[in-house]
């Protein structure tokens, strides 16, 4: 394996494949490490990337993928709050130990910087809105606990290992093309698009008035690439959000309007581990990363609906 600008762990997934595409487009040499558990080879079709099939829980596999790498975007993880409630042990093994393997291998190979995708779920419920990064974390779900542990390891490594750099990004609810509506743990936006398009009811947990800071994938990719480059970001945590919350009901209605189809809602009890409201303060990302969300919610939903309807 020769020298590469970027290793994207989880690069066959929704966010990872969109990031890999953007990196290739700007001329980077990109390697992807993925075990294809929730990711999909089709997401990388036609993309000039080197693919290493491997398991984050194996230090040897991760280390082998790290050779000659300048920057690591560590996105490989088992996502989804409900999945972690169902199986906290595997969530921890992949999301915490997997991250430790990435950090150790990056340290051992002299990687310049690791960018880690953490999550809004580290905040839990007791917080002011919009939430700033200095809010004491209080995760509810095992997924949030694992992400918090993993991000603390990133910050720790940036402090204890000379010249090692790490940046933590707390993504808020991400949506966009390539997000699968098919998994048992699929996110709301792709599920709603697929259901409404097919004339089926959408399932809403709770009353639908819970809000989320839905963030379009292009905004996430932009912030993530910036986090690998800018000075003054080492050892820091940044919210990456749209900075504009919307209710789940509003998103369902907007998708109905975009598709020109009626929206039938089926309400179920709230799911354990879910939070009520989520809204990120993005001042730090604006100031240090130069991040500014370029694609707003209605435009993002239109682009996503177009892509998902074409695929289902
Ligand atoms: N989608 C969101 O709204 C959101 C929000 C906050 C944070 N994040 C984080 O962003 C990252 C990417 O999320 P996504 O939405 O693209 O999810 P995804 O499931 O589409 O992508 C994750 C990728 O990691 C791979 N993977 C999982 N376990 C692995 C293992 N043990 N070894 C190697 N590869 C493994 C999967 O095959 C998949 O390709 C994750 O770290 C996730 O926690 C996502």
């Amino acid at each position: 394996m020769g020298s590469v600008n970027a290793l994207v762990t989880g690069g066959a997934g929704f966010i990872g494949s969109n990031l890999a595409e953007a990196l290739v487009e700007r001329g980077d040499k990109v390697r992807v490490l993925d075990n294809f558990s929730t990711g999909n080879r089709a997401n990388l079709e036609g993309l000039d990337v080197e693919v290493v099939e491997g398991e984050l829980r194996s230090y040897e596999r991760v280390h082998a993928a790290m050779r000659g790498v300048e920057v690591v975007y560590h996105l490989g993880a088992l996502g989804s709050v409900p999945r972690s409630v169902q199986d906290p042990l595997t969530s921890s093994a992949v999301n915490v130990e997997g991250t430790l393997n990435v950090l150790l291998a990056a340290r051992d190979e002299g990687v310049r910087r690791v960018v880690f995708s953490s999550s809004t779920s580290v905040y839990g419920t007791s917080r002011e809105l919009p939430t700033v990064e200095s809010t004491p974390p209080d995760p509810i779900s095992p997924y949030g606990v694992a992400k918090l542990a993993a991000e603390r390891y990133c910050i720790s490594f940036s402090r204890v290992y000379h010249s090692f750099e790490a940046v933590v990004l707390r993504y808020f609810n991400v949506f966009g093309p390539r997000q699968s509506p098919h998994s048992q743990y699929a996110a709301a936006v792709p599920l709603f698009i697929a259901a409404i398009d097919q004339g089926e009811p959408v399932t809403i947990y709770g009353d639908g008035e819970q809000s989320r800071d839905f963030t379009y994938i292009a905004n996430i990719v932009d912030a993530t690439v910036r986090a690998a480059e800018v000075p003054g970001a080492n050892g820091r945590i940044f919210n990456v959000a749209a900075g504009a919350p919307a209710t789940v009901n509003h998103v369902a209605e907007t998708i109905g309007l975009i598709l020109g189809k009626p929206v039938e809602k089926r309400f179920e009890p709230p799911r354990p581990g879910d939070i009520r409201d989520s809204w990120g303060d993005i001042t730090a990302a604006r100031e240090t990363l130069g991040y500014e969300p370029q694609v707003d919610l209605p435009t993002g939903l239109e682009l996503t609906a177009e892509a998902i309807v074409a695929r289902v």
Side-chain angles (χ1 to χ4, degrees):
M1 293 193 240
S3 81
V4 248
N5 305 103
L7 172 68
V8 182
T9 74
F14 158 50
I15 301 173
S17 62
N18 279 285
L19 173 67
E21 186 175 20
L23 293 171
V24 168
E25 268 169 17
R26 71 169 197 179
D28 279 9
K29 237 182 135 215
V30 177
R31 186 180 295 150
V32 160
L33 171 69
D34 205 295
N35 72 349
F36 300 100
S37 56
T38 61
N40 192 336
R41 279 180 200 277
N43 287 340
L44 296 170
E45 233 164 59
L47 212 57
D48 184 17
V49 295
E50 182 188 343
V51 178
V52 176
E53 184 162 357
E55 171 57 58
L56 283 165
R57 285 172 284 182
S58 155
Y59 173 78
E60 286 71 27
R61 213 68 195 109
V62 174
H63 191 200
M66 199 69 70
R67 300 232 162 83
V69 168
E70 186 203 339
V71 171
V72 179
Y73 300 92
H74 177 38
L75 277 66
L78 275 183
S80 157
V81 164
R83 188 204 310 271
S84 76
V85 174
Q86 201 101 45
D87 184 2
L89 205 56
T90 310
S91 170
S92 174
V94 174
N95 299 337
V96 184
E97 282 164 45
T99 299
L100 253 181
N101 284 333
V102 167
L103 292 170
L104 286 167
R107 180 202 63 182
D108 296 346
E109 285 299 310
V111 164
R112 177 171 64 77
R113 188 177 278 187
V114 175
V115 178
F116 173 61
S117 57
S118 186
S119 160
T120 176
S121 62
V122 301
Y123 289 119
T125 48
S126 57
R127 51 178 151 146
E128 303 224 325
L129 298 173
T131 309
V132 291
E133 291 85 348
S134 57
T135 305
D138 185 19
I140 298 171
S141 65
Y143 171 69
V145 173
K147 282 290 183 189
L148 180 60
E151 64 173 51
R152 291 320 307 178
Y153 275 123
C154 293
I155 304 293
S156 164
F157 270 53
S158 76
R159 290 176 179 166
V160 300
Y161 296 117
H162 179 63
S163 82
F164 185 97
E165 295 195 350
V167 180
V168 170
L169 302 178
R170 289 180 178 159
Y171 295 160
F172 283 59
N173 292 62
V174 191
F175 72 97
R178 299 211 193 105
Q179 193 171 25
S180 172
H182 299 303
S183 150
Q184 174 194 359
Y185 300 114
V189 170
L191 278 177
F192 287 4
I193 291 170
I196 294 167
D197 181 55
Q198 283 156 24
E200 289 166 7
V202 297
T203 303
I204 292 178
Y205 298 96
D207 62 5
E209 287 305 297
Q210 66 270 40
S211 62
R212 295 287 180 271
D213 201 340
F214 292 100
T215 311
Y216 186 64
I217 181 71
N219 301 328
I220 293 284
V221 166
D222 176 52
T224 306
V225 173
R226 287 170 183 274
E229 309 295 344
V230 297
N234 179 35
R236 293 187 56 194
I237 298 172
F238 299 94
N239 289 335
V240 183
T247 66
V248 170
N249 283 329
H250 173 77
V251 166
E253 299 298 345
T254 307
I255 292 169
L257 288 175
I258 289 168
L259 296 175
K261 297 198 173 169
V263 179
E264 190 193 331
K265 296 176 193 157
R266 203 169 51 199
F267 292 95
E268 301 277 346
R271 294 177 302 186
D274 275 352
I275 54 174
R276 178 73 188 172
D277 294 306
S278 175
W279 175 11
D281 184 307
I282 53 174
T283 309
R286 276 196 169 112
E287 288 177 358
T288 303
L289 305 181
Y291 164 71
E292 193 59 52
Q294 299 292 331
V295 183
D296 64 13
L297 180 63
T299 311
L301 286 175
E302 259 180 58
L303 294 166
T304 309
E306 207 174 286
I308 288 182
V309 167
R311 272 175 76 151
V312 283

